[in-house]
Amino acid sequence: MDRFDKIRDHLIQFRAIWMEHKMETYKKQPDLLAQTEKLLLKLKNKQEQEQGLDLCYLVLFHFRSSLWTNSYQYQICATDETLYLNPPLAVARWRPEAIYDDLGVLREGLKEELRKKFIRLQPFEIEFAIRSVMEDYQKLTEVCWKQVADEIIISETFQSLQKHSNWKILSGTYMDNDLKTII
């Protein structure tokens, strides 16, 4: 077991407590709903101008690179049945401010927790620990996306779109095979 595995194992309880606290303080994400509605309106306008632009997938993509760049951005895409091959029909960006608003507190909490077991901490080890918690945050954004999806599918805009017969709402990491069907 290397040092990263030891750090990950040591943080299991910390991560569980942190995420429990985060879920208690978490609030609905109205900005995600607003961004998604704008995206659907953009798609509706595009469909009125061109035929054959049927919506097949509405996806909330997470970018692995956003963990490294600290941008924590997500991309909302409306795509046809090819998903990755053709350019998206409509795209919007979303940064969940309410979820990532306490990174300074998280960093200090992780340092304190890691110092209980590890004597010499390198900056890259602290960054590794932060990214491991950020991966948990992705699960929280999936909860947000599910709530938004439940509202979107009953919206007038969504109902008026031309859709593929097997349309789906998905969530996952961009260009990865971990996409989950939300609806």
Side-chain angles (χ1 to χ4, degrees), residues 56-67:
C56 190
Y57 301 109
L58 184 60
V59 189
L60 179 67
F61 283 123
H62 173 263
F63 296 106
R64 285 194 200 285
S65 60
S66 74
L67 294 176

Side-chain angles (χ1 to χ4, degrees), residues 42-70:
K42 195 183 327 178
L43 176 58
K44 184 177 179 178
N45 291 335
K46 198 171 182 180
Q47 284 181 341
E48 288 171 356
Q49 294 171 2
E50 289 181 55
Q51 289 294 325
L53 298 177
D54 292 353
L55 173 67
C56 190
Y57 301 109
L58 184 60
V59 189
L60 179 67
F61 283 123
H62 173 263
F63 296 106
R64 285 194 200 285
S65 60
S66 74
L67 294 176
W68 295 93
T69 61
N70 299 328

Side-chain angles (χ1 to χ4, degrees), residues 26-174:
Y26 151 80
K27 294 182 177 122
K28 199 171 181 181
Q29 297 292 310
D31 54 332
L32 177 57
L33 180 61
Q35 285 290 79
T36 306
E37 287 173 343
K38 283 183 198 174
L39 174 126
L40 293 176
L41 283 172
K42 195 183 327 178
L43 176 58
K44 184 177 179 178
N45 291 335
K46 198 171 182 180
Q47 284 181 341
E48 288 171 356
Q49 294 171 2
E50 289 181 55
Q51 289 294 325
L53 298 177
D54 292 353
L55 173 67
C56 190
Y57 301 109
L58 184 60
V59 189
L60 179 67
F61 283 123
H62 173 263
F63 296 106
R64 285 194 200 285
S65 60
S66 74
L67 294 176
W68 295 93
T69 61
N70 299 328
S71 66
Y72 311 114
Q73 287 214 352
Y74 290 75
Q75 185 176 49
I76 309 162
C77 287
T79 71
D80 61 13
E81 65 276 355
T82 61
L83 190 60
Y84 294 118
L85 296 179
N86 292 336
L89 303 173
V91 176
R93 298 276 181 171
W94 175 59
R95 185 177 192 279
E97 299 291 338
I99 294 175
Y100 294 98
D101 64 351
D102 57 359
L103 292 179
V105 176
L106 172 62
R107 179 180 300 278
E108 292 309 310
L110 282 169
K111 283 181 187 177
E112 187 178 313
E113 181 64 30
L114 289 172
R115 285 191 179 116
K116 291 177 185 176
K117 182 170 182 173
F118 302 96
I119 296 170
R120 292 186 190 107
L121 281 174
Q122 300 297 323
F124 66 88
E125 293 171 324
I126 295 166
E127 291 303 314
F128 170 79
I130 290 171
R131 280 192 300 279
S132 70
V133 175
M134 295 296 113
E135 289 170 1
D136 293 338
Y137 280 14
Q138 291 173 30
K139 295 174 186 137
L140 189 56
T141 59
E142 284 181 10
V143 172
C144 298
W145 185 235
K146 172 68 172 132
Q147 290 176 341
V148 166
D150 289 341
E151 290 185 42
I152 285 295
I153 62 170
I154 59 173
S155 73
E156 198 173 302
T157 306
F158 185 80
Q159 294 295 323
S160 67
L161 290 172
Q162 300 166 18
K163 294 181 276 305
H164 191 274
S165 59
N166 295 327
W167 64 269
K168 294 179 182 173
I169 298 181
L170 307 170
S171 177
T173 303
Y174 186 71

